[in-house]
Amino acid sequence: MKKILKPGLYVHIPFCNYICPYCSFTKVFYDQDFADRYLTYLEKELTKYSDFLFQSIYIGGGTPTSLSHTQLERLFLILRKYQSENFFITIESNPELTEDKIEILEKYNVKRISIGVQTFNEIFQKQINRFTTPEEIGNLINCLHNHGISDINLDLIYGFDNEKVIDVINDLKIYTSFDIKHISTYCLQVEEMSVFYNKKYPAPDQDEARKQYDAICDYLKIKDFYRYEVSNFAKKGFESKHNLIYWNDEEYGGVGLGASSYINRIRRTSTKSLSLYLKGQYDDYEESVDDDSDKFYFIMLGLRLEKGFSLEEYKRRFKTDFLDEYRDKVSPLLEDGNLIIKNGYIALREDDLYIADYFLRKILF
Amino acid sequence: MRKYSLSHIRNFSIIAHIDHGKSTLADRILELTHALDKREMKDQYLDSMDLERERGITIKLNSVSLNYHAKDGQDYLFNLIDTPGHVDFSYEVSRSLAACEGALLVVDATQGVEAQTLANVYLALDNNLEIIPIINKIDLPSADFDKACKEIEDTIGLPCDEAIGVSAKTGLNVDLVLEEIVKKIPAPNGDDTKPLQALIFDSYYDSYRGVVALVTIKEGTLKVGDHIKMMSNGYTYEVTELGIRRPHNESVEALYAGEVGYVAASIKEIGHVRPGDTITSLEHEATEALPGYRKMNPMVYCGLYPCDSKKYGDLKDALEKLSLNDASLHFEPETSQALGFGFRCGFLGLLHMDVVQERLEREYNIDLILTAPSVIYHVYLSNGEMISLDNPSKMPDIGTVDRIEEPIVKASIMTPKEYIGPIMTLCQERRGNYVDMVYLDDSRVDIIYKLPLSEIVYNFFDKLKSYSKGYASFDYELDGYQAANLVKMDILLNGQPIDALSSIVFRDFAYQRGLVIVKKLKDIIPRQQFEVPIQAAIGGKIIARSDIKAVRKDVLAKCYGGDISRKKKLLEKQKEGKKRMKAVGTVEVPQEAFMAILSVDDEENN
């Protein structure tokens, strides 16, 4: 039987060697036995996609590289059945990745890696229990290049308590001294389910957050990292293919604890309970997406992108003209210059991307 | 044929201060007369509105007919007409009292007589009711039966040698109360054969039966099929259904003199049934209407606007329906530049205002914006003309004004003596004039002050409670008008005066108030796309300013696969929050902003 091609598959590995206090994702401490059983149930869950082949596979966490050498290999073998011909695998990793694991990544053709550095500032590192040095990361990046993995992203967190623009720039100086292609930024959010939330860690106020964000945009532009989404910066041609699937409102599968998927107009999120998951009770939340909510998602996600969304694509998907349909809401914003039409795409003005939700509420409701 | 002879009917109500146990006592009476089986019994049955049960207060009066098999072996018909306990609702109280011959005065054995109770007792005495004193909560260790009796004797002059000590909670001695009702409360007068006079004491709207009137038959007989006439306006209807509430509606063929029940006559027009009016029948028509009851005038006015301007019509319908059984609610259309079409509504007090707002929002599902409450000022113009001003934004040009007079109340504050100091300070801060202080006994005093009404509509009661650790009680009556140095303060958003935010303030307080209001508004109004100045001005002169900042960050930093459904929900939730926003020009102003002027005192204390 011929299999159906789908754009993306997200694979969640919830295990970590240490827990970051800002993290609100589904995660547990690594335990070899749990991890073995987890992979067994992950393999079982994947059979729901036995008719599909995926072009992009993203292995996220938790810390996927906290799996043992053997377990990592097993994971890639499980995934092999679901890879399309020109598959593209991305994996998230902590800075402590060792060469023997890099060899496995190379062996199974992992193309892109995203490393959770977050910051080199020692004061903030202490607050999040991370102690990586620029030297260590430099060595890791060299090692990855040597094994043919050159599409590298580093994560950056800004907005720590008392952080100043100068601190962010100092981090970025180091980041951009490496041979990397992509930087994901993340303004510290103190979310429920995180240690910071329980400790009442102060979230940055919006004026300070904006100052730092503007500095990031300006600095990275000089360094040839261009912003293509609210929080994501890349060298030309090295945007995250997998994440663009989300922002273009395309389909993706999802397996693993708390993973989300959007297939055949259904958005699903798996259970966040490891004990239920290890009993094979996967599903938790489900939302079927009708035309109206599909439009909602399409617009909401598309306007996060610097270039916005294609008016042509909108017409193709929904058989209506966006500008006609949303005339009342959109015309004043076009007039005031908050929305801009360029090359058939409609987008928020550069300066307004950081207040995108303000305009989304005006357009969508 | 009538089931109960006139001599076997007792119409009574219960007078009590909030929390003194009126509703609990009513519950016990319902139980003892087997009106409800255990399954149906829920606490405070007569408080049928959710709002009443939640707040533990009675707002709407309610009536119930009960059969009591007395110790003398005979059956009596008890009509219990419930009364609200709060000062704002004394109108309702006077209505229920007019339908009764007697009242149970319930006093908490641990608290003694409260100011509010006194006010209602006087109303009852005015109506020549027989009053039975009952001391409740005698099961509590801190109960002092003798002290409570002495207080009743001292303050009201009601002999208490036969007062009954009960515990409504445990049911102790409630049976004695029922016997006393039979013995002490007179049977109603009235004659079945006389022309019909039925007093409407309440009404409500039922989608099947139309307007239903609750009546007490003072004279004559009312039968199904009778043609009735409302004596105040002459409208006539044919009676389709009569019944009594026990408490379930039970239809009957006729209501006789002395009885209490409901009348349905396919009345669609709400305005035709006015509580206080008399119903008579064309078959046996009375020439004279019964005296209505003491009419209550609104003390506090505010603007009431739908958040969604399309709901203006719904709000109008809802107000009409509410006023049907809340005759003290006044409203008339008004227009605000800032808020669009709405109503200027008059209330008996702030609690009344609060309750009406909540009922409109809950029962009629209309999101509302209220402007800060205002009292009625008398504005005298230089040409001698006088304007009654219930809306600060309508203040005439200051050049044409000779003087402004404001309503003054005489307030009576009863408190344990250790709180005299802080309470007098409070009254002084509120521009009060000391009148008198009377020692009620060794430990309690009654402090009399004259205060501007406008100073007590602003959280005076809350302050009083906190200054006296909850012990002081408070009652007031209007005591005329008095000239004062008052000015209108405008609030400007983006340089435009917002009529709904205008207020009238005492000149000496204006500067401080302006600062606080402007700061408070800055905190309440969310950031806007552009910076917006907020200014306070008196007669064109800016006295305070603050700026609402521009929104700088309004986006989720990360939005990947798992965040997408969550993000949609988040936007929808934020949108819900916006529902209570009103776009004033280009500025989105939340509902609380219009009430900000009210709570400035909280700010001053910080």
Side-chain angles (χ1 to χ4, degrees), chain B residues 258 434 591 605:
Chain B
Y434 173 83
Q591 186 193 36
N605 283 352

Side-chain angles (χ1 to χ4, degrees), chain A residues 154-212:
Chain A
L154 300 188
D155 282 343
L156 169 87
I157 292 181
Y158 62 97
F160 287 103
D161 185 21
N162 242 328
E163 183 164 16
K164 298 283 177 281
V165 165
I166 183 81
D167 300 319
V168 184
I169 298 298
N170 280 336
D171 262 342
L172 286 179
K173 264 189 204 160
I174 306 172
Y175 275 54
T176 53
S177 70
F178 300 130
D179 184 3
I180 56 169
K181 302 291 191 290
H182 194 284
I183 296 173
S184 284
T185 66
Y186 165 42
C187 178
L188 187 71
Q189 251 169 283
V190 179
E191 291 183 87
E192 282 180 53
M193 313 280 292
S194 71
V195 177
F196 272 180
Y197 181 83
N198 297 332
K199 282 189 174 169
K200 301 200 167 71
Y201 189 93
D205 77 43
Q206 53 172 304
D207 294 302
E208 192 50 47
R210 179 61 179 267
K211 258 191 238 162
Q212 294 175 27

Side-chain angles (χ1 to χ4, degrees), chain A residues 191 206-207 210 231-232 243 246-247 252 260 285 293 296-297 304 338 354-355 357-358 361 365, chain B residues 527 529 549 552-562 564 566-569 574-575 578:
Chain A
E191 291 183 87
Q206 53 172 304
D207 294 302
R210 179 61 179 267
S231 304
N232 285 276
N243 289 336
Y246 303 140
W247 301 321
Y252 55 95
S260 295
Y285 168 83
S293 57
F296 191 106
Y297 281 123
R304 288 184 71 85
N338 301 113
Y354 212 50
I355 53 171
D357 289 1
Y358 180 87
R361 286 190 298 269
F365 300 107
Chain B
R527 293 181 179 224
Q529 196 188 339
K549 290 197 205 164
R552 300 284 289 149
K553 174 176 189 282
D554 188 356
V555 71
L556 267 191
K558 49 177 187 144
C559 182
Y560 303 103
I564 294 174
R566 198 165 64 105
K567 162 132 172 141
K568 180 174 183 237
K569 280 190 203 149
Q574 289 167 340
K575 165 67 190 162
K578 298 259 170 207

Side-chain angles (χ1 to χ4, degrees), chain B residues 522-595:
Chain B
K522 192 201 82 177
D523 294 340
I524 292 175
I525 300 177
R527 293 181 179 224
Q528 311 278 322
Q529 196 188 339
F530 304 104
E531 199 166 87
V532 175
I534 314 171
Q535 296 158 304
I538 290 172
K541 187 178 164 233
I542 305 294
I543 56 165
R545 169 179 173 146
S546 189
D547 293 315
I548 307 167
K549 290 197 205 164
V551 52
R552 300 284 289 149
K553 174 176 189 282
D554 188 356
V555 71
L556 267 191
K558 49 177 187 144
C559 182
Y560 303 103
D563 305 313
I564 294 174
S565 304
R566 198 165 64 105
K567 162 132 172 141
K568 180 174 183 237
K569 280 190 203 149
L570 188 72
L571 282 170
E572 279 162 353
K573 208 171 114 200
Q574 289 167 340
K575 165 67 190 162
E576 273 308 295
K578 298 259 170 207
K579 261 170 81 182
R580 282 177 173 260
M581 298 270 196
K582 194 89 188 175
V584 176
T586 57
V587 186
E588 290 191 324
V589 182
Q591 186 193 36
E592 312 96 85
F594 298 97
M595 296 295 274

Side-chain angles (χ1 to χ4, degrees), chain A residues 232-250:
Chain A
N232 285 276
F233 301 80
K235 292 271 174 74
K236 271 270 180 287
F238 290 94
E239 302 84 1
S240 165
K241 291 176 188 60
H242 193 87
N243 289 336
L244 279 168
I245 294 170
Y246 303 140
W247 301 321
N248 288 326
D249 197 22
E250 294 176 87

Side-chain angles (χ1 to χ4, degrees), chain B residues 197-245:
Chain B
Q197 284 179 315
L199 178 70
I200 307 174
F201 64 89
D202 199 5
S203 60
Y204 59 91
Y205 192 85
D206 177 313
S207 29
Y208 298 105
R209 300 179 199 147
V211 182
V212 177
L214 297 182
V215 297
T216 165
I217 311 284
K218 293 289 189 185
E219 297 286 354
T221 304
L222 180 57
K223 288 197 282 297
V224 175
D226 278 359
H227 292 81
I228 53 170
K229 179 168 132 184
M230 307 293 160
M231 293 192 74
S232 70
N233 51 34
Y235 290 108
T236 59
Y237 292 97
E238 183 179 329
V239 174
T240 54
E241 186 183 339
L242 292 172
I244 51 177
R245 292 146 62 104

